[in-house]
């Protein structure tokens, strides 16, 4: 998930103001503008559009980010960096993501605005903002991308074939490079086309499917972690434990104990 791959390094709450301080930037880190009031136009590379309340606008590192206010604007500006030890496939989103759960989004904005009323400790405020409130924006984004992937109908017949194959075989031991070769394209082409079709990379999608199966087995069976790892396509229980803990936020044993009925 995005929350496991990117961490917050900077945050600014701005507005209301009539314009952006910088109308164009190329930053060396991924960034997000979460608009709370007003609206603005943006262009991120070839991607362009308008954003208003409920919209999160993402720009990867080293990409031109142009923006122009259409009215007085209030927004949250967040800087990220990729987790250094993470080398897996989870590209930073590009452009606008519209959040449907505006109640939760508004609640997160409210806490960000008013956290100073709850605690006078600057370090405590910063910790809550970086560890919980801003990652919640990434979580809402992840949920929107998953919903989009579920509903999206792509015209890319080759990616439809790949999507169906992954759903059926995600828990088997297979090579993503070999799968790309079987499709007649390179690994990088496969990743780009799958991302364009479904809003998530194929490796990240496989991880999601495997962890959902792992959660099911943890809750519905008494199988050992080693057995569950094997059934989900992982080489060992210790490796599954590392992935599970990183993505879910609990280790498998704690997850089983907490959620099993």
């Amino acid at each position: 998930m995005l929350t496991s791959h990117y961490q917050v390094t900077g945050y600014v709450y701005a507005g209301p103001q009539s314009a952006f301080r910088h109308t164009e930037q190329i930053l060396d880190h991924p960034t997000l503008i979460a608009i709370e009031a007003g609206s603005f136009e943006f262009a991120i590379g070839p991607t362009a559009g308008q954003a208003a309340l409920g919209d999160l606008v993402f720009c990867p590192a080293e990409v031109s980010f142009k923006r122009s206010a259409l009215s007085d604007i209030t927004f949250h500006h967040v800087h990220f960096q990729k987790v250094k030890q993470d080398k897996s496939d989870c590209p930073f989103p590009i452009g606008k993501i519209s959040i449907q759960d505006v109640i939760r989004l508004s609640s997160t904005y409210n806490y960000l605005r008013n956290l100073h009323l709850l605690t006078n400790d600057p370090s405590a405020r910063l910790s809550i903002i970086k560890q919980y409130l801003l990652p919640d924006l990434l979580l809402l984004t992840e949920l929107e991308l998953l919903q989009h992937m579920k509903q999206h109908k792509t015209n890319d017949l080759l990616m439809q074939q790949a999507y169906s194959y992954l759903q059926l075989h995600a828990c088997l031991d297979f090579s993503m490079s070999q799968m790309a070769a079987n499709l007649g394209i390179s690994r990088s082409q496969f990743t780009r086309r799958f991302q364009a079709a479904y809003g998530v990379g194929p490796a990240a999608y496989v991880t999601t499917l495997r962890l959902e199966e792992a959660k099911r087995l943890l809750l519905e069976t008494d199988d050992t972690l080693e057995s569950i790892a094997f059934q989900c396509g992982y080489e060992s229980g210790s490796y599954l434990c590392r992935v599970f803990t990183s993505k879910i936020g609990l280790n498998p044993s704690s997850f089983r104990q907490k959620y099993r009925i």
Side-chain angles (χ1 to χ4, degrees):
M1 293 179 66
L2 289 169
T3 50
S4 301
H5 293 268
Y6 297 92
Q7 61 186 15
V8 176
T9 58
Y11 167 69
V12 175
Y13 177 64
Q17 58 193 57
S18 60
F20 288 101
R21 183 181 227 178
H22 301 286
T23 57
E24 181 176 3
Q25 285 180 301
I26 299 178
L27 299 171
D28 61 0
H29 51 263
T31 188
L32 158 67
I33 290 181
I35 191 79
E36 187 170 354
S39 60
F40 72 98
E41 292 180 325
F42 66 88
I44 301 170
T47 302
Q50 293 185 6
L53 174 62
D55 295 331
L56 309 181
V57 180
F58 292 87
C59 180
E62 310 297 342
V63 177
S64 172
F65 189 0
K66 299 178 182 179
R67 58 259 191 173
S68 176
L70 297 173
S71 62
D72 285 352
I73 48 173
T74 300
F75 60 94
H76 306 265
H77 193 184
V78 190
H79 294 176
F80 299 93
Q81 70 177 13
K82 199 161 194 268
V83 178
K84 288 184 178 180
Q85 64 269 24
D86 175 29
K87 297 181 180 179
S88 55
D89 175 29
C90 184
F92 198 72
I94 301 176
K96 180 174 72 174
I97 304 292
S98 298
I99 305 301
Q100 302 304 310
D101 190 352
V102 292
I103 294 177
R104 177 163 178 166
L105 182 64
S106 297
S107 175
T108 298
Y109 287 163
N110 185 60
Y111 277 114
L112 284 168
R113 281 196 317 273
N114 298 311
L115 193 57
H116 67 283
L117 300 176
L118 302 178
T119 175
N120 293 321
D121 184 347
S123 62
R125 289 200 301 269
L126 186 61
S127 176
I128 292 171
I129 287 171
K130 286 189 172 183
Q131 293 186 42
Y132 300 102
L133 295 178
L134 295 179
D136 193 59
L137 299 181
L138 291 185
L139 174 60
L140 290 171
T141 299
E142 188 78 28
L143 295 174
E144 289 296 335
L145 290 174
L146 289 172
Q147 184 66 25
H148 174 76
M149 181 178 63
K150 180 179 179 181
Q151 296 177 345
H152 192 57
K153 301 296 184 182
T154 177
N155 293 322
D156 192 331
L157 298 180
L158 200 61
M159 291 305 101
Q160 289 181 17
Q161 177 184 341
Y163 181 78
S164 298
Y165 183 90
L166 292 180
Q167 284 190 311
L168 294 173
H169 301 93
C171 291
L172 299 180
D173 183 18
F174 69 92
S175 164
M176 202 69 73
S177 295
Q178 185 59 53
M179 181 176 176
N182 292 339
L183 293 170
I185 56 178
S186 69
R187 171 75 180 267
S188 60
Q189 286 177 314
F190 177 34
T191 298
R192 286 197 300 270
R193 286 173 63 172
F194 197 94
Q195 173 82 30
Y198 297 109
V200 65
Y205 183 52
V206 166
T207 298
T208 297
L209 294 175
R210 287 181 171 183
L211 292 182
E212 286 304 311
E213 178 64 8
K215 287 192 288 186
R216 185 188 71 80
L217 292 171
L218 284 167
L219 298 180
E220 296 180 6
T221 75
D222 294 320
D223 293 352
T224 65
L225 189 59
E226 288 293 331
S227 174
I228 291 175
F230 179 77
Q231 294 175 69
C232 294
Y234 289 108
E235 60 190 26
S236 67
S238 60
Y239 186 75
L240 169 59
C241 185
R242 289 198 300 273
V243 176
F244 193 98
T245 303
S246 171
K247 306 298 184 186
I248 306 302
L250 289 173
N251 64 46
S253 177
S254 298
F255 179 86
R256 175 178 264 171
Q257 183 177 12
K258 183 174 183 178
Y259 293 106
R260 195 169 190 178
I261 297 176

